[in-house]
Amino acid sequence: MEKDIIVMGIESSCDETSVAIVKNGREVLSNVIDTQIPIHEKYGGVVPEIASRNHIEAISRVTKKALEQAKVTFEDIDVIAPTYGPGLVGALLVGLSYAKALSFAIDKPLVGVNHIQGHIAANYITYKELEPPFICVMTSGGNTQIIHVKNYTEFEVLGKTRDDAIGEAFDKVARVVGLGYPGGPKVDKLAKEGEPNIQLPKTHFENLDFSFSGIKTAVINLNHNNPNIKKADLCASFQKTVTEILIENVEKAIEQTNIKTIALAGGVSANSYIRKEFSKLENRGIKIYMPDLKLCTDNAAMIASAGYYNYINGSRDILNLNAVPNLTF
Ligand code: KG4
């Protein structure tokens, strides 16, 4: 029997400090997440400098807790896998620098992970049987992409947003209707009380790109010009329209690649309406995978899983690995 590979994942790209211990890419031994949401809530969004400082304050404590919960020591770790981009540069640097120092101190290999690759890998933890190839619908606060996952370490972006990320649009809609930050879960909740009866614009492109700035502005204007508009209807209509936009592009991706296996990923894939509508595609012979809710938003278990696949594929980094805020595939 082959030796188990234990990976320590380290995530600090935005407002969650997270450290996880994952065995053989799929078995989570611990996944400690220290969220800064309450700190940033009063500013209506993430303040990068405050995020960096809080990561510094949290990182050692979170690491210690992750080791304790997994019942392992530094000796048992085979690989250290930090997120090195995309994300906020100051925030990324905290987790990455910590990982580099740790790799040097305990003499274990360092393997950098693309945060988006991590979101995709959240599916491997939830579904032990899932293997590439598949199409990933990556929807988060900073990204919206349709990705052809060719194998564990090879990706092709088939389409992406030309302006706002879908999560950014959710957060903005929440802010204008007075729900606060982070907006996605609040829009999701309020939409359940409303009817999707308001017509909102969709932007179409020849290829699989997205645009969410038009619909975002339409919601802002409708809310501004109609003080009596039912906020729940506005949220339900926004949610329904962006879901239709996602599904229309997924249909194009299926046509283009002939791949009928779809995996959702990223914070917005926690949305209950999006999950419900994507599930309905199963009636049309499309296989749908969705990460566990707690693995949709930022966490280090998904980073450790991606780090495992990078490692067994031969990837190694050295101590000059730098943070890359706009890292792409
Ligand atoms: O993946 P994530 O934690 O961070 C990034 O890598 O960006 O995603 C955060 C985004 C935020 O925009 C948040 O509002 C959104 O995910 N989100 C949701 C839901 N839960 C989180 N959006 C819609 N519905 C939700 N239930």
Side-chain angles (χ1 to χ4, degrees):
M1 213 177 101
E2 285 189 24
K3 182 193 171 303
D4 289 330
I5 295 175
I6 309 280
V7 180
M8 172 182 275
I10 299 181
E11 159 62 30
S12 71
S13 66
C14 192
D15 58 348
E16 261 93 31
T17 319
S18 180
V19 177
I21 313 291
V22 174
K23 187 161 113 184
N24 299 331
R26 306 235 177 188
E27 193 185 330
V28 179
L29 304 184
S30 67
N31 186 20
V32 180
I33 306 168
D34 195 280
T35 184
Q36 300 177 12
I37 288 176
I39 298 168
H40 298 282
E41 219 164 11
K42 56 178 173 290
Y43 304 103
V46 179
V47 182
E49 180 57 27
I50 295 178
S52 311
R53 285 189 216 172
N54 281 282
H55 284 308
I56 293 171
E57 189 272 319
I59 189 82
S60 303
R61 169 170 39 86
V62 172
T63 304
K64 192 163 172 259
K65 211 163 155 187
L67 289 167
E68 275 168 16
Q69 285 186 8
K71 298 188 173 55
V72 296
T73 66
F74 282 131
E75 269 304 294
D76 303 309
I77 305 296
D78 296 299
V79 182
I80 298 171
T83 302
Y84 73 104
L88 301 169
V89 68
L92 285 166
L93 278 170
V94 177
L96 178 59
S97 305
Y98 188 86
K100 290 199 286 189
L102 196 56
S103 155
F104 182 71
I106 65 173
D107 198 19
K108 302 285 167 130
L110 178 76
V111 175
V113 174
N114 178 324
H115 182 77
I116 308 292
Q117 189 195 348
H119 275 299
I120 297 169
N123 283 284
Y124 300 138
I125 298 172
T126 306
Y127 301 98
K128 307 295 179 221
E129 77 286 3
L130 175 64
E131 287 180 10
F134 56 85
I135 301 294
C136 179
V137 187
M138 166 65 207
T139 56
S140 74
N143 290 278
T144 309
Q145 299 179 355
I146 304 245
I147 301 163
H148 179 183
V149 181
K150 295 184 171 180
N151 59 50
Y152 287 105
T153 55
E154 204 187 334
F155 310 89
E156 183 188 353
V157 178
L158 304 176
K160 60 180 186 307
T161 182
R162 295 190 182 184
D163 40 55
D164 297 340
I166 186 170
E168 231 176 309
F170 264 98
D171 292 338
K172 185 72 188 195
V173 166
R175 196 184 312 172
V176 298
V177 303
L179 297 177
Y181 174 85
K186 293 178 178 167
V187 170
D188 191 349
K189 191 161 171 238
L190 186 60
K192 292 196 172 92
E193 294 166 27
E195 287 300 323
N197 52 14
I198 301 167
Q199 186 77 24
L200 293 168
K202 290 184 196 171
T203 309
H204 294 282
F205 297 106
E206 278 289 303
N207 64 5
L208 275 71
D209 281 353
F210 299 97
S211 164
F212 295 104
S213 66
I215 184 168
K216 179 190 77 179
T217 308
V219 172
I220 295 171
N221 289 341
L222 275 166
N223 187 63
H224 181 73
N225 298 330
N226 306 281
N228 295 327
I229 199 162
K230 226 180 130 198
K231 314 282 186 205
D233 290 351
L234 205 48
C235 288
S237 306
F238 168 78
Q239 205 169 254
K240 176 169 182 278
T241 312
V242 293
T243 306
E244 285 169 3
I245 294 169
L246 290 177
I247 290 180
E248 280 161 20
N249 267 4
V250 164
E251 283 167 343
K252 281 196 211 169
I254 292 172
E255 214 175 282
Q256 195 173 309
T257 59
N258 214 15
I259 295 174
K260 291 188 166 183
T261 306
I262 308 293
L264 305 189
V268 180
S269 60
N271 183 273
S272 61
Y273 183 82
I274 292 177
R275 291 172 87 92
K276 192 177 83 198
E277 292 303 300
F278 269 89
S279 299
K280 288 183 189 164
L281 297 180
E282 296 237 330
N283 302 332
R284 290 166 40 193
I286 300 166
K287 184 82 190 122
I288 302 292
Y289 292 93
M290 311 184 233
D292 276 348
L293 282 180
K294 62 178 185 309
L295 294 172
C296 287
T297 44
D298 291 349
N299 67 89
M302 67 184 197
I303 302 299
S305 173
Y308 167 81
Y309 288 106
N310 288 354
Y311 176 76
I312 60 169
N313 204 46
S315 168
R316 302 287 182 277
D317 285 296
I318 55 172
L319 297 182
N320 69 356
L321 179 67
N322 207 351
V324 184
N326 49 7
L327 183 66
T328 52
F329 284 127

